[in-house]
Structures are given as C-alpha cells and as structure tokens.
C-alpha cells in the first residue's frame, strides 16, 4: 500500500471545515478570529519590505498561500502576486476573496515541492509558516531547491516558521520510549519533538475522509509508550534553520522575531 502523504490530509480536512463554517482563513480554526486581516507574519512583512530593494510591481510568489491573507496584503501594496497551495478548497476561497476585494492575483493548486524549476523568476518569495509542514528531508530539499531556482539573482526569500527553543528541553519535558529507549521532548501538552531530526510529532488522529486508514498506512508514524504519533512539523532550532538555508545556497542576511522565527535570505 502506498503511504498517505502526511501533510495533505490534515490540510484537506481543515479547509473542508473552513468551507463548511464559512470562515475566511485557516487560522480562524485555531483561535484567531481576525486571522485574515492580522495574519501571523504581518508585522515581519511590514517591518521588512520597506528595507528591501524591490520595484513597486515586483513579481512575488507566496508558498502555501491558503485562502490568501498574505497574498492580498502584498497585492494591495502593488506587487504582482502568485499564490500556490496544495488544497483546491483553499485556492477556490482565495480566488473568491480576491475577486470580492478587486485584486488581480494569480492562484494555482500546486504542491510547493512540485514547483516547476523553469519559469519566470520571482523578485520575492514569501514563506508564511508553510515550510514547517515539510518534514522529511526529500520534501525539504525539493522545496528549497525549487525556491532557489525560481528566485531572481537579486531577489529575496522571506521566511517565517515555527522554531524550537532549546531551553524547552529539560528534565520535566523529557519523555523516554520504554520500548526503544529513544528520548523525546514533550511540548504543547501532547506533542513530541525529536532532537535528532528536529521533527515534531502529534498524536495520530483518524482522517475523517479516510476513517478506515490506520496509523500504519501513513508515512511518518511512530508508536511511543503505546500511543501512535505522526510527524506534523519540522521545528528547527534557529541556528540549524540558518545552517539548512545556507546548505541550500541561500545567504541569511538576518534572523529576527520574538523567538527568531523570521529569516531574510538572498542567493
């Protein structure tokens, strides 16, 4: 049996729920009722964009655009925006919102790991908490190589993602698997973080669209002390995130934010 892609079904379920409830953005499902207007990376973009050498009509790509809060924000600044997301419901909603707001934004259903490596170069590529959902090394390698191939030589890659703060790991958060002896760090109540791979695992939940598919049928599942977990996020430490970006050919000009969750990169 082919293993189910770990990130697709989580997002598919979220956007189906968003559609059923008539919400505007995915963040509203997670406790932020004003997420479309006050999205997580907004302050970073407001502070950073004026410092970049970008033309008013620069061509911009947003990775994992969802329903388009960031794309709409960028389009209102005059940029030519292209948003991509793997979930059709998200793109349908993004197109409807852009039309309602009179914004000319190009949207496409596309996996960021499958972004064509040939095509018009982008002056700016924005990752607003998308890349953290790319967990496996092959997926992250594919994503970063495509970003680099489509970024103009004098362009910028702005990245916002959750990071793991090393001081979270202490004796109180230490979890040892009784079968393998493997050590994990517990955080956010029921999640586990693997320091060797910087992978975040969440308790496995059945996919409402595929209730007969068990944890063994998905890639990235582990059983720790009798509980099944699935890898959901890649939470690098800030230092290792910088090293990863440099390994893929980017120069990190700056890392900032409350927990160093933002990065400004160039070729």
């Amino acid at each position: 049996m082919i293993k189910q892609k770990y990130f697709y079904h989580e997002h598919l379920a979220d956007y189906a729920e968003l559609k059923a409830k008539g919400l505007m953005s995915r963040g509203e499902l997670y406790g932020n009722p004003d997420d479309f207007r006050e999205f997580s990376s907004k302050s970073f973009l407001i502070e950073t964009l004026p410092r970049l050498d970008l033309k008013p009509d620069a061509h911009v790509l947003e990775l994992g655009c969802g329903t388009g809060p960031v794309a709409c924000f960028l389009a209102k600044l005059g940029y030519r925006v292209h948003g991509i997301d793997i979930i059709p419901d998200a793109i349908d909603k993004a197109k409807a919102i852009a039309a309602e707001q009179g914004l000319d934004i190009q949207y496409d259903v596309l996996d960021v790991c499958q972004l064509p490596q040939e095509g018009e170069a982008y002056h700016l590529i924005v990752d607003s908490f998308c890349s953290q959902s790319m967990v496996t090394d092959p997926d992250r390698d594919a994503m970063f190589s495509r970003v680099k191939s489509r970024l103009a030589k004098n362009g910028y890659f702005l990245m916002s993602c959750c990071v793991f703060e090393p001081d979270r790991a202490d004796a109180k958060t230490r979890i040892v698997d009784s079968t393998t002896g493997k050590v994990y760090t517990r955080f956010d109540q029921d999640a586990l973080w693997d320091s060797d791979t910087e992978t975040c695992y969440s308790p496995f939940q059945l996919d409402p669209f595929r209730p007969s598919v068990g944890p063994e049928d998905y890639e990235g599942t582990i059983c720790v002390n009798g509980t099944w977990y699935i890898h959901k996020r890649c939470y690098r430490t800030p230092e290792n995130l910088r090293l990863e970006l440099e390994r893929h050919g980017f120069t990190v000009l700056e890392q900032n934010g409350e927990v160093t969750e933002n990065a400004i990169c160039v070729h």
Side-chain angles (χ1 to χ4, degrees), residues 36-237:
F36 195 93
R37 190 174 65 87
E38 298 297 332
F39 53 88
S40 298
S41 61
K42 184 175 181 179
S43 61
F44 171 55
L45 295 178
I46 289 174
E47 189 275 333
T48 302
L49 289 173
R51 298 195 283 136
L52 305 182
D53 184 18
L54 289 172
K55 295 182 179 179
D57 62 345
H59 195 196
V60 178
L61 171 68
E62 187 197 355
L63 307 175
C65 64
T67 58
V70 176
C72 288
F73 171 80
L74 294 169
K76 289 175 181 177
L77 295 177
Y79 299 123
R80 294 182 294 125
V81 182
H82 181 197
I84 62 172
D85 199 286
I86 196 172
I87 305 300
D89 277 347
I91 292 299
D92 288 345
K93 184 66 173 180
K95 289 179 177 178
I97 292 174
E100 290 171 0
Q101 297 189 7
L103 298 172
D104 183 13
I105 300 173
Q106 178 188 350
Y107 285 117
D108 288 298
V109 177
L110 183 62
D111 182 346
V112 297
C113 299
Q114 299 296 324
L115 177 70
Q117 292 189 301
E118 301 293 331
E120 182 181 355
Y122 297 98
H123 305 106
L124 173 66
I125 297 180
V126 176
D127 163 23
S128 182
F129 297 92
C130 170
S131 61
Q132 65 196 31
S133 293
M134 305 299 109
V135 176
T136 67
D137 288 339
D139 282 343
R140 292 183 71 83
D141 290 346
M143 175 187 63
F144 284 125
S145 68
R146 283 161 170 75
V147 168
K148 189 170 185 294
S149 69
R150 296 299 296 274
L151 185 64
K153 294 301 180 183
N154 60 343
Y156 300 90
F157 176 35
L158 299 185
M159 186 178 190
S160 295
C161 62
C162 290
V163 295
F164 188 84
E165 302 157 72
D167 60 3
R168 285 186 178 218
D170 57 31
K172 293 181 180 179
T173 60
R174 189 172 185 265
I175 301 295
V176 181
D177 181 28
S178 59
T179 301
T180 65
K182 173 74 177 175
V183 177
Y184 300 90
T185 299
R186 183 180 298 281
F187 74 103
D188 290 349
Q189 297 182 337
D190 58 0
L192 300 179
W193 183 74
D194 181 351
S195 62
D196 294 330
T197 62
E198 297 183 307
T199 299
C200 176
Y201 293 88
S202 295
F204 178 84
Q205 296 179 338
L206 289 176
D207 176 2
F209 295 100
R210 303 172 62 86
S212 64
V213 178
E216 301 94 335
D217 300 314
Y218 286 81
E219 64 174 350
T221 52
I222 59 174
C223 189
V224 178
N225 296 332
T227 299
W228 280 97
Y229 294 84
I230 186 167
H231 62 193
K232 283 290 191 72
R233 304 287 185 266
C234 178
Y235 288 173
R236 297 272 189 247
T237 63

